[in-house]
Amino acid sequence: MEKLPDAEVSSILSLSAALSYGAASMAMVFINKAVLMEYSHSMTLLTVQQLATALLIHVGRRLGYTRSRGLEMSIAKKLLPVSLFYNANVAFALASLKGVNIPMYIAIKRLTPLAVLIAGFVSGKGKPTIQVSLSVILTAGGVVIAALGDFSFDFFGYSMALTSVFFQTMYLVLVEKSGAEDGLSSVEIMYYNSFLSLPVLMFLIVATGEFPNSLLLLIAKSNSFYFLVILILSFVMGIVLNYTMFLCTIVNSALTTTIVGVLKGVGSTTLGFVLLGGVQVHFLNVTGLVINTAGGVWYSFAKYQQRKSKPPKRISDVEAHRK
């Protein structure tokens, strides 16, 4: 059997990583929303998800299913900011889903490319092209119009979603930098992230008063077959989402990960109108969401054209597969 050329392997891996992240991200929004409609303690949910991730990878290492290295203090120190920003992003995103319907949540999260571009400009990556700038402005304008027509407007929910955008931008940029500099695979970054997250999350659920009542409620709710199924799905998809997100960011870039997030949002927005409820249809709201989606698609197309002219980069995950 002939071996595929390195460039073709890299292209297949890049495409697979992007598609996997898009599918996992779309599914996770609806699963988290379904869980939070039954169980409102988002911080405890996140803590259990991270604990399940850390245990699974640790057991996988012991049994030889993963080739990830053990924990090193020097790397842990470098990745601590990544872990803090990641957990802040997820915590604020989960909090926003309590009060924001799925179409509006996705529209607000589409502001992440704008934040990534600003972060890139500040860090010296240069000015974006005219197409990229206009598409980002269109996306942001769509959010404003949609918000004006959102009868279920929740100030707290919107604030949480916008804060989540900031933290998502920071950790995507840091993941891209950390993976490239330290030669870490997506599984290793996920392992470090889960390990570093647990002490902070455990402190927060105790400090905020969620624990132990939240844990007792979680156990009581697990008697319901429906809740148990969506809870297990949230744990599994949480692991899958983390893995595919870190893989996509390392194999491609932070910008590609945000582009995939924008594109999967087209399907999520449509499904969000008919699944799980909470959406009151209004002309301004629908118009804003259409504009927001159009801006997101335009942005993705502009970035794709821009990326086509650049040579592919070698990444740690490809090297890891060759070992």
Side-chain angles (χ1 to χ4, degrees):
M1 189 173 180
E2 291 186 10
K3 187 178 179 182
L4 290 172
D6 289 348
E8 191 171 340
V9 171
S10 180
S11 298
I12 293 172
L13 183 60
S14 297
L15 180 61
S16 299
L19 291 175
S20 299
Y21 169 65
S25 181
M26 182 185 295
M28 196 61 183
V29 172
F30 290 95
I31 292 170
N32 276 338
K33 180 71 173 179
V35 172
L36 290 170
M37 288 172 70
E38 301 286 330
Y39 179 78
S40 61
H41 298 290
S42 56
M43 292 298 294
T44 300
L45 181 65
L46 177 57
T47 304
V48 178
Q49 285 177 344
Q50 292 288 32
L51 179 61
T53 302
L55 288 175
L56 184 65
I57 297 176
H58 179 71
V59 171
R61 283 185 62 250
R62 291 293 184 184
L63 297 177
Y65 290 116
T66 62
R67 297 179 180 178
S68 58
R69 294 169 287 179
L71 295 171
E72 296 177 18
M73 190 56 66
S74 58
I75 297 178
K77 287 180 181 178
K78 287 183 181 179
L79 290 179
L80 182 59
V82 174
S83 178
L84 293 176
F85 283 126
Y86 168 83
N87 285 285
N89 163 55
V90 177
F92 281 103
L94 287 173
S96 71
L97 278 172
K98 295 178 186 178
V100 178
N101 60 61
I102 288 178
M104 279 310 306
Y105 167 80
I106 293 168
I108 295 171
K109 293 292 279 184
R110 283 201 189 105
L111 294 176
T112 303
L114 171 61
V116 170
L117 286 176
I118 293 172
F121 179 74
V122 171
S123 62
K125 284 191 174 181
K127 298 169 76 172
T129 64
I130 294 176
Q131 275 204 67
V132 169
S133 300
L134 290 176
S135 64
V136 165
I137 292 171
L138 189 66
T139 302
V143 172
V144 174
I145 295 171
L148 292 174
D150 185 9
F151 286 145
S152 60
F153 180 85
D154 184 301
F155 179 77
F156 176 79
Y158 272 65
S159 300
M160 294 297 99
L162 288 170
T163 307
S164 172
V165 167
F166 167 76
F167 285 118
Q168 183 179 11
T169 301
M170 296 306 297
Y171 88 73
L172 282 175
V173 172
L174 288 173
V175 163
E176 182 182 8
K177 185 178 179 183
S178 300
E181 288 183 351
D182 299 318
L184 296 172
S185 70
S186 51
V187 173
E188 287 169 335
I189 292 181
M190 187 166 64
Y191 187 40
Y192 275 100
N193 180 60
S194 300
F195 179 79
L196 294 169
S197 299
L198 287 172
V200 178
L201 291 173
M202 287 178 178
F203 170 77
L204 287 175
I205 62 174
V206 172
T208 56
E210 275 198 19
F211 185 83
N213 291 335
S214 59
L215 185 59
L216 295 174
L217 180 61
L218 185 64
I219 295 171
K221 284 274 189 181
S222 298
N223 291 326
S224 164
F225 178 74
Y226 167 74
F227 180 77
L228 187 61
V229 169
I230 59 174
L231 181 65
I232 292 173
L233 273 175
S234 76
F235 293 158
V236 173
M237 288 307 301
I239 295 170
V240 173
L241 176 61
N242 286 343
Y243 174 76
T244 55
M245 177 193 65
F246 290 135
L247 180 65
C248 183
T249 305
I250 296 172
V251 169
N252 299 296
S253 67
L255 198 54
T256 300
T257 303
T258 62
I259 291 172
V260 173
V262 167
L263 292 177
K264 64 90 184 174
V266 177
S268 299
T269 300
T270 305
L271 290 173
F273 276 102
V274 295
L275 296 179
L276 303 178
V279 183
Q280 298 180 41
V281 180
H282 185 274
F283 175 75
L284 274 178
N285 189 241
V286 174
T287 302
L289 289 172
V290 170
I291 293 173
N292 176 267
T293 301
V297 173
W298 184 13
Y299 167 83
S300 300
F301 177 73
K303 293 309 297 182
Y304 172 74
Q305 285 188 316
Q306 189 177 334
R307 185 171 174 78
K308 267 203 315 185
S309 61
K310 295 181 180 179
K313 63 178 181 179
R314 294 173 68 99
I315 44 78
S316 59
D317 278 82
V318 172
E319 293 169 359
H321 281 295
R322 292 178 192 159
K323 292 180 181 178

